[in-house]
Amino acid sequence: MDLVQLQRQLVNYRTSLYHEGFLDEQFTQLQELQDENNPDFVVEVVSLFFEDSERLLNELSKALEQQIIDFKRMDARVHQLKGSSSSIGAQRVRQLCVIFRNYCEAQNVEGCLKCLQQVKHEYSIVKTKLESMFQLEQQILNAGGSIPV
Amino acid sequence: MVVETGFSSPRTDAFPAGLRVLVVDDDPTWLKILEKMLKKCFYEVTTCCLAREALNLLRQRKDSYDIVISDVNMPDMDGFKLLEHVGLEMDLPVISQFSMANVVCSAFFYSSNSIEPLSHKLRLCNVAVMSVDGETRRVMKGVQHGACDYLLKPIRMKELRNIWQHVFRKKIHEVRDIESMEGIESIHMARSGSELFDDGSFLGGEDTTSGRKRKDADNKRDDKDLGDPSSTKKARVVWTVDLHQKFVKAVNQIGYDKVGPKKILDLMNVPWLTRENVASHLQKYRLYLSRLQKEGDVKNSFMGMKHSDTPPKDSTAGSGLRNSINLTQDNVSNGSFSFPVNHTLAPSVDLKGHEGDRKGITSGPMTELKGPFSIDISGPRKAKSSKISFDHSLGSVDSVVNFASFGPTDTAQYSWNEIPEIQFKQEYEPLQLENGFSQLPLPGLQHHMLPEYLQPAVSVSPGPSITEKEATSSGFEVKSMYDEYRSNHAKHSSQTEAVGESHSLNNQVFKSISTTTSSMKSQDTIPNHLTVSEFSPKNLYEGVGAEDLQLCWPQGDCYATNFGLQGLDCTEHNNPAIVSETPFHLYDHPFDPTEYYASDQGLFA
């Protein structure tokens, strides 16, 4: 694929992510923050998000496996996850966190379990998508082109 | 722009570039993003993911940062606590971040059904708090704790670009405080060489010092090193929350009826404190207590008298009344009272005559609070006296005050409320009020009623300093609106009450005050209205509904009246937008609510 095609593909892909609600405006903000001083800013931030989220999701899984579930603590975790996801614009994940928190507050184990599954699912989807997007970007850069905004 | 006071760094010329920001957030993603954003603003950024670590950094090098942006939801320490500490110990602006939520509405306005997500900050005090969850309650809490601003996450660049204003404003106020303090001091000195001037505290040293770096309670010292070469000659005592608490404890131990400065001083066991310091503080405290009591009896319509930011022009305008009033008391009380609460309050309270103090605005609620309590809040001239009123009210209403100043209100509150029962029973009438005033619903606040006092006070916290002249004219206009408010009052008071109740902070402290509050509620609604109008004169003029205005104040009012109320949901706040806007408007608007009162009461100096 030539450079122009790659670039077009990237733009389309990115647009679709917004349209499908995987990403929201915050992601755009991140991209705008990136500059020559920090050419990998977005990738770095998103990587931080991945790390943090995976840690939180693990903790949440563990929490739900306990005999006595500490809903408060779980709620705190979900809240954190909500915060991180909002930081990069991972909209769907964030929205699910809101619902998840409701279940925590209601101390609804079933609800929490289901929600956790959904969050994990959405998280992995957005992670895959973002990684694909970064790969595309890298391809463009490798081909000597620049990332279209 | 170059600000002389307070900026220790040589980069002032490039200000706001180089603004030293400390960002505290446990979320690494947000931390990185904020860092980047702030760097883009050409600020010097230090990041921290633990509140404790942040506090350590701040304590070690108090002068190293100009402003703190802190997340509220942090695992190791409640962001609010951090706020308190920073505001209390360091007199630094702290910004709160709140996460984007559908709810957040006027953080400081209680209502949780907020309306529109806050996209703009409210300029409260120098402390900006970040909160992740937009629940109103949290926002309010942030404000209460002295947040000078709160930001909703996700935070936008433009919001960060503006944070320097908090710092700048603070500096300006400090300068003004000093100037006005000195002005006042000299005037008073001329009038009465009373010993009350012995300690600088009468000058409201605290207030002034609020602008300065706050000292740790343990490091109390005369604030000679205010960083302002033009500081007053007298060493000022900073009545920090801790110091005040010691004071109150001593008073309680001795027994309010039997207290004397010497006894208190002995009990307090603070080596550097003089008997005079204590004497003047005691006077202010007495005034405060008596005012609390009076306020309980009468709804103070003079709310919102903000200590004007205007320089004390008419300090000598004191009428005969003034003279008869214990000037010293006023002055003294102004200074001292304001502070205990003031660590946080001071900045916002503007006792000192902060002009167009933004703090005032944020303190919209603050002034409000004062309103009921301190009607007279005279402005600059009587900065002192007005201060008293504010302070008093503030003292009692920590929650309220916090709003504006968002300082460690909790502590302040406690200190003030420690002897609520006693206070309320006290019949302390240090001042003689003019007849005109006596007609006012709040006889107790006589000293407040003085027109002279009124005028400046009216400037309304947020507002620009209002000259007497201006006040007068505005007063008339306000009058009509005032009536309008009155009619709305009943409606609003409930709201305000709700507001006050929602503050959980107040809960503990204000329980004792609840009696007062309730009595206040039944008071003439006028004060509330006035406060409201004062608060947002612009609104008045623009025909903003009284409701709105009132709501703007609610904080003040609520607190004033509802200290003890907790858990109310201020869902009735009509328009956070208005509220948030008013401060700005107020700045421009030379409206002097005090004037209103004057005209209303027929008390013209």
Side-chain angles (χ1 to χ4, degrees), chain B residues 348-368:
Chain B
S348 50
V349 175
D350 275 357
L351 296 180
K352 301 306 175 85
H354 290 266
E355 321 243 5
D357 197 350
R358 284 260 164 173
K359 289 192 248 186
I361 294 187
T362 49
S363 17
M366 273 218 340
T367 48
E368 305 290 343

Side-chain angles (χ1 to χ4, degrees), chain A residues 128-141:
Chain A
T128 310
K129 295 219 178 243
L130 283 169
E131 284 172 341
S132 305
M133 196 183 80
F134 290 145
Q135 272 170 14
L136 250 183
E137 287 182 355
Q138 195 58 51
Q139 276 180 290
I140 293 171
L141 289 172

Side-chain angles (χ1 to χ4, degrees), chain B residues 32-103:
Chain B
K32 193 174 172 74
I33 294 173
L34 285 166
E35 181 186 33
K36 180 71 183 163
M37 287 171 80
L38 290 164
K39 281 188 171 158
K40 280 218 155 185
C41 297
F42 303 110
Y43 296 155
E44 268 178 40
V45 188
T46 306
T47 58
C48 208
C49 60
L50 287 176
R52 302 224 170 265
E53 191 191 316
L55 260 184
N56 285 341
L57 275 176
L58 290 166
R59 281 173 181 149
Q60 283 164 22
R61 293 169 261 149
K62 287 187 184 172
D63 288 340
S64 299
Y65 305 102
D66 294 315
I67 194 164
V68 179
I69 298 184
S70 157
D71 183 33
V72 166
N73 298 283
M74 293 189 288
D76 71 323
M77 182 193 289
D78 186 335
F80 298 122
K81 275 242 165 306
L82 175 64
L83 239 193
E84 281 180 18
H85 283 295
V86 175
L88 182 56
E89 298 175 26
M90 288 146 224
D91 190 30
L92 266 182
V94 178
I95 295 182
S96 291
Q97 307 174 25
F98 287 95
S99 70
M100 170 173 70
N102 328 324
V103 185

Side-chain angles (χ1 to χ4, degrees), chain A residues 1 6 12 14 25 31 35-36 43-44 48 52 60 76 94 110 124-125 127-128 140 145:
Chain A
M1 217 185 298
L6 279 174
N12 290 340
R14 212 190 277 157
E25 196 216 307
Q31 290 182 307
D35 55 20
E36 324 72 58
V43 174
E44 286 169 10
L48 275 175
D52 208 35
L60 285 168
R94 177 179 54 78
E110 278 297 317
S124 67
I125 294 178
K127 179 172 179 188
T128 310
I140 293 171

